[in-house]
Amino acid sequence: MGPKSERVYRTIREWISTGKYLPGAKLPSERALSEELEIGRTQLRQVLAKLVAEGAIEVHGRSAYRVPDMAVSVTAPTDLEPWQIHGERILYDNRWVKLTLADVEPPGVERFEHHVVRLQHVAIAAVLDDQDRVLMLWRYRFVPQSFGWELPGGIVDPGEDPAATAFREVEEETGWRPEALEHVVTYQPMVGMVDSPHEIFVGRGAQLVGAPTDLEEAGHVAWVPLADIPGLMSQGELMGSGTLVALLHVLASRAAGAPPTAAA
């Protein structure tokens, strides 16, 4: 695609990722899009065809388009009770980790004390290029005493938007500045005992702006083919749950014919 088509492509993707057009919503007509985006109908149809092929939009009726409906069939049970928390006392606390004992009472069970580890809130980003490669770091981690591939990411500062964290960490650790990032999922890596929200972002396109500035976290920077990810996974060379969750999301989206930045 040419520069104008690429601009329109990214604009429509941004409309969808930011919620301007929600799942199930109908896009404006081709004529309205052509006028609003200042692009010819032929070029616009090429952009729309690419978005349809990626699963970002779907054809609805004659020459009409809409955002795919992300509805699910399963419903959550409503007849279960949450645990009661009667209190919590701190055993250890510093900048990196807090260890507490919570006084809890599950339904129908006697009260007991449960250890809780509270860690930092983090954001992790999978940045893809137009050759289906993902931006990664080869790092040494002293806790498992091994090298492995990781996605860039880091701690969300107090009051900081996790998306801003993801942009900042990618640039600091790799020297590449992402063109756009979309939030795909928030999860807890060890939900039974550890509280550490992980925010996963996925985007496509980045600009090299310099050398990495976070020398403690930076490692060998490389664009790794997505085709290599299953093999690296089986060899145990992908480290960290955030890296695994983000890359599995990308691979699953590709297998399902959806864009890798579709909301999870």
Side-chain angles (χ1 to χ4, degrees):
M1 293 190 300
K4 181 177 289 188
S5 297
E6 184 68 24
R7 171 184 60 79
V8 170
Y9 168 82
R10 294 189 180 280
T11 297
I12 296 176
R13 288 299 300 267
E14 183 178 356
W15 286 350
I16 297 170
S17 66
T18 58
K20 180 176 180 178
Y21 293 100
L22 297 172
K26 185 178 178 181
L27 295 182
S29 67
E30 287 185 359
R31 181 175 181 177
L33 287 172
S34 178
E35 293 175 355
E36 180 177 357
L37 298 171
E38 299 179 344
I39 187 173
R41 295 282 285 274
T42 300
Q43 288 177 291
L44 175 63
R45 285 170 180 163
Q46 292 175 347
V47 172
L48 294 173
K50 177 177 173 62
L51 291 166
V52 169
E54 293 178 342
I57 61 175
E58 59 187 16
V59 179
H60 180 60
R62 182 180 178 182
S63 299
Y65 302 87
R66 70 178 180 185
V67 182
D69 192 349
M70 301 297 290
V72 297
S73 60
V74 66
T75 57
T78 59
D79 58 345
L80 299 178
E81 298 179 10
W83 290 20
Q84 294 187 50
I85 303 173
H86 298 285
E88 188 172 355
R89 57 190 178 94
I90 297 174
L91 302 181
Y92 177 79
D93 186 14
N94 72 6
R95 176 187 174 188
W96 305 105
V97 60
K98 178 187 291 187
L99 175 63
T100 70
L101 271 178
D103 180 3
V104 298
E105 184 179 359
V109 179
E110 292 186 4
R111 291 167 59 171
F112 63 93
E113 288 192 313
H114 192 297
H115 282 87
V116 178
V117 180
R118 301 193 184 278
L119 304 178
Q120 295 281 2
H121 182 189
V122 302
I124 297 160
V127 180
L128 310 174
D129 68 3
D130 57 5
Q131 299 178 54
D132 274 348
R133 301 179 301 177
V134 60
L135 184 60
M136 302 194 75
L137 295 158
W138 177 257
R139 286 173 167 166
Y140 181 77
R141 292 297 188 180
F142 83 91
V143 175
Q145 299 183 37
S146 62
F147 283 94
W149 291 103
E150 294 184 27
L151 295 174
I155 294 172
V156 179
D157 291 335
E160 185 178 31
D161 183 346
T165 304
F167 275 99
R168 171 173 55 79
E169 292 290 339
V170 172
E171 184 171 338
E172 290 178 356
E173 295 182 1
T174 71
W176 288 83
R177 180 177 297 161
E179 294 179 5
L181 291 174
E182 179 182 344
H183 180 265
V184 296
V185 68
T186 301
Y187 77 98
Q188 293 276 5
M190 294 180 63
V191 70
M193 184 176 289
V194 178
D195 176 27
S196 177
H198 281 46
E199 311 270 3
I200 302 298
F201 294 83
V202 176
R204 187 174 290 276
Q207 178 185 3
L208 183 62
V209 295
T213 58
D214 188 343
L215 299 182
E216 179 182 348
E217 291 292 333
H220 171 73
V221 180
W223 288 94
V224 177
L226 285 176
D228 288 351
I229 296 303
L232 294 174
M233 190 180 304
S234 67
Q235 295 170 21
E237 293 187 2
L238 298 183
M239 292 202 299
S241 63
T243 292
L244 288 166
V245 169
L247 293 177
L248 287 171
H249 169 84
V250 171
L251 293 177
S253 297
R254 286 164 55 86
T261 55

